[in-house]
C-alpha cells in the first residue's frame, strides 16, 4: 500500500513530451534524495522499544500492528473471491429490511420489531438510556468524509509518531470520536485526552460511542472547552502525540498560537510530535521566516508535510508535523 507521498499532482494539465521526460527525471531524482534522506535519517529521534511483530516494510517502520498491511488486504480480497461475493442493490429480502437512519429512528420510537417493557418509564431497566438519534448513528454522518476515515487517521498518526500503548495522546477537537475511538482502544486506561467544544458531539461520544464500543473502562479524559485552556488536563502529563484533525483551520490564527504556546511545554522533547491536518495557514499567513521565528521562540520545529492514503476510498490526508526541539 502506498503510505505517503511528498505531494499531490495537479490534474488535467497538458504537458509536452520533453517536459514530461524532464519532470520524470526530476521526480526520480527527488525520490532518490528523499528516500536516501529517510533511510539515513540523522534526526535525534530514538525509536521506542517495539514489541514482537515489528517488521520493516519498504523501509517504513511498523509499530504494534497498527497499519493495515498488504497481506491483510490480500486476505480480505481472497475471502470475498472465495465466497463469490458482489455488491447488489440493497433491497427488501428474506429477513432483511434495509432502512434509512430516519426510518430506523421512527421504527425505534414506535418500538417496531423490538421487544420492550410496556408501562411507565419508572419501570425502565436500562442502565444508561441513549437518545434514539444517537442509537441510529446520525452523528456518523456529521462529517464531510466517511466515518471509516477515522481509522486512516489513527493508523497514520500512530505509525508516524511511533507510539506504543503506553503513550499519552492529546486530541484537539475529537468531536464524536471518529478518530479518538481507535486511540482509546489502543492506549492504556486514562492515556487519551481531548479538548472539545461541541456539546452534541460530546454527548454522542459519552452516551453512545464509548458505551457501545465497550470503552468506558478506558476512562478517556474528554473536557469541554474552546479557549485552548488545558488546565484541566493537569500539569504533570507530557504527551507523546498531540494532534488536531481539521480544527486549526476553523480557528482564529491568534488562538492557534495561544494553543501552541500552552502546548509546547506539554509535549515530550524531541520524540513527541504535534500533527496538524489540512493546512497550516496560521503559520504560512505570517510568512515562512516569521513563522519559523515564532515556532523557535516556543521551542517548536516544523518537520514537514506528509500525506496518507485512505484504505477504503479515494482520498488522502495531509498532515503537518512538528516537534519540540528544546528539552
Ligand atoms: C431509566 O433508569 C435509569 C437508571 O435507574 C435512570 O437513570 C434513567 O433516567 C431512566 N430513564 C428514563 C428515560 O426514565
Ligand atoms: C483555565 O481554566 C481554569 C478553570 O478550569 C481557570 O481557573 C483559568 O483561569 C483558565 N485559564 C485561562 C488562561 O483562561
Amino acid at each position: 500500500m502506498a503510505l505517503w507521498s511528498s505531494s499531490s499532482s495537479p490534474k488535467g494539465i497538458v504537458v509536452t513530451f520533453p517536459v514530461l521526460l524532464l519532470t520524470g527525471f526530476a521526480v526520480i531524482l527527488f525520490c532518490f534524495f528523499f528516500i536516501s534522506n529517510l533511510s539515513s535519517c540523522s534526526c535525534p529521534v530514538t525509536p521506542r522499544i517495539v514489541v514482537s511483530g515489528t517488521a520493516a516494510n519498504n523501509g517504513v517502520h511498523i509499530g504494534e500492528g497498527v497499519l493495515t498491511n498488504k497481506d491483510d488486504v490480500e486476505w480480505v480480497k481472497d475471502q470475498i473471491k472465495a465466497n463469490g461475493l458482489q455488491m447488489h442493490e440493497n433491497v427488501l429480502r428474506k429477513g432483511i429490511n434495509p432502512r434509512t437512519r430516519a426510518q430506523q429512528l421512527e421504527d425505534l420510537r414506535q418500538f417496531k420489531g423490538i421487544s420492550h417493557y410496556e408501562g411507565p418509564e419508572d419501570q425502565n431497566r436500562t442502565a444508561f438510556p441513549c437518545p434514539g438519534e444517537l442509537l441510529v448513528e446520525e452523528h456518523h454522518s456529521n462529517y464531510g468524509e466517511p466515518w471509516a476515515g477515522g481509522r486512516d487517521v489513527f493508523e497514520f498518526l500512530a505509525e508516524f509518531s511511533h507510539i506504543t500503548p503506553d503513550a499519552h495522546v492529546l486530541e484537539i477537537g475529537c468531536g464524536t470520536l471518529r478518530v479518538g475511538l481507535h486511540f482509546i482502544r489502543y492506549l492504556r486506561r486514562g492515556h487519551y485526552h481531548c479538548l472539545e467544544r461541541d456539546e452534541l458531539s460530546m454527548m454522542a461520544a459519552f452516551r453512545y460511542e464509548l458505551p457501545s464500543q465497550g470503552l468506558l473502562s478506558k476512562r478517556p479524559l474528554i473536557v469541554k472547552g474552546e479557549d485552548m485552556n488545558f488546565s484541566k488536563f493537569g500539569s504533570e502529563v507530557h504527551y507523546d502525540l498531540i494532534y488536531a484533525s481539521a480544527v486549526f483551520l476553523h480557528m482564529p490564527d491568534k488562538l492557534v498560537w495561544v494553543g501552541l504556546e500552552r502546548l509546547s511545554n506539554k509535549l515530550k522533547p524531541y520524540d513527541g510530535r504535534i500533527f496538524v491536518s489540512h493546512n497550516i495557514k496560521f503559520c504560512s499567513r505570517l510568512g515562512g521566516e516569521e513563522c519559523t521565528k515564532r515556532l523557535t521562540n516556543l521551542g517548536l520545529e516544523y518537520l514537514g508535510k506528509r500525506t496518507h492514503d485512505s484504505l477504503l476510498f479515494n482520498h488522502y490526508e495531509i498532515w503537518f508535523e512538528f516537534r519540540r526541539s528544546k528539552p
Side-chain angles (χ1 to χ4, degrees), residues 121 124 126-127 129:
E121 275 303 327
N124 108 55
T126 306

Side-chain angles (χ1 to χ4, degrees), residues 92-111:
L92 181 71
R93 52 205 184 277
K94 203 170 184 179
I96 298 174
N97 180 16
R99 318 294 278 157
T100 63
R101 292 194 202 283
Q103 288 168 331
Q104 196 191 3
L105 181 57
E106 199 46 42
D107 291 352
L108 187 66
R109 286 187 173 145
Q110 293 169 18
F111 297 112

Side-chain angles (χ1 to χ4, degrees), residues 229 231-232 262:
N229 183 340
S231 62
K232 289 204 176 123
R262 292 176 184 164

Side-chain angles (χ1 to χ4, degrees), residues 18-60:
V19 170
L20 205 67
L21 206 70
L22 248 155
T23 313
F25 183 67
V27 166
I28 290 164
L29 208 72
F30 177 76
C31 286
F32 174 77
F33 280 113
F34 195 61
I35 287 162
S36 54
N37 246 344
L38 260 184
S39 50
S40 66
C41 178
S42 60
C43 10
V45 178
T46 33
R48 276 151 224 215
I49 297 154
V50 176
V51 294
S52 60
T54 306
N57 182 357
N58 302 327
V60 174

Side-chain angles (χ1 to χ4, degrees), residues 138-182:
E138 280 182 355
H139 59 283
H140 284 198
S141 310
N142 277 3
Y143 308 91
E145 64 178 58
W147 182 257
R151 178 72 199 181
D152 298 320
V153 172
F154 163 72
E155 287 192 13
F156 166 77
L157 291 174
E159 179 69 13
F160 284 96
S161 54
H162 301 282
I163 60 165
T164 69
D166 285 324
H168 290 268
V169 173
L170 170 66
E171 176 165 7
I172 320 285
C174 51
T176 53
L177 300 180
R178 194 174 62 102
V179 178
L181 275 182
H182 300 280

Side-chain angles (χ1 to χ4, degrees), residues 48 154 157-158 161-172 183-184 186-194 218-221 233-243 263 266-269 271-275:
R48 276 151 224 215
F154 163 72
L157 291 174
S161 54
H162 301 282
I163 60 165
T164 69
D166 285 324
H168 290 268
V169 173
L170 170 66
E171 176 165 7
I172 320 285
F183 275 103
I184 293 166
Y186 176 76
L187 296 170
R188 289 199 199 297
R189 180 185 169 102
H191 283 210
Y192 173 88
H193 294 179
C194 166
K218 285 296 186 101
R219 301 289 193 273
L221 177 58
F233 297 94
S235 52
E236 323 79 48
V237 57
H238 285 93
Y239 296 104
D240 299 88
L241 169 65
I242 297 172
Y243 67 97
L263 288 173
K266 289 184 175 293
L267 184 66
K268 276 197 185 153
D271 286 1
R273 289 290 182 274
I274 295 178
F275 275 99

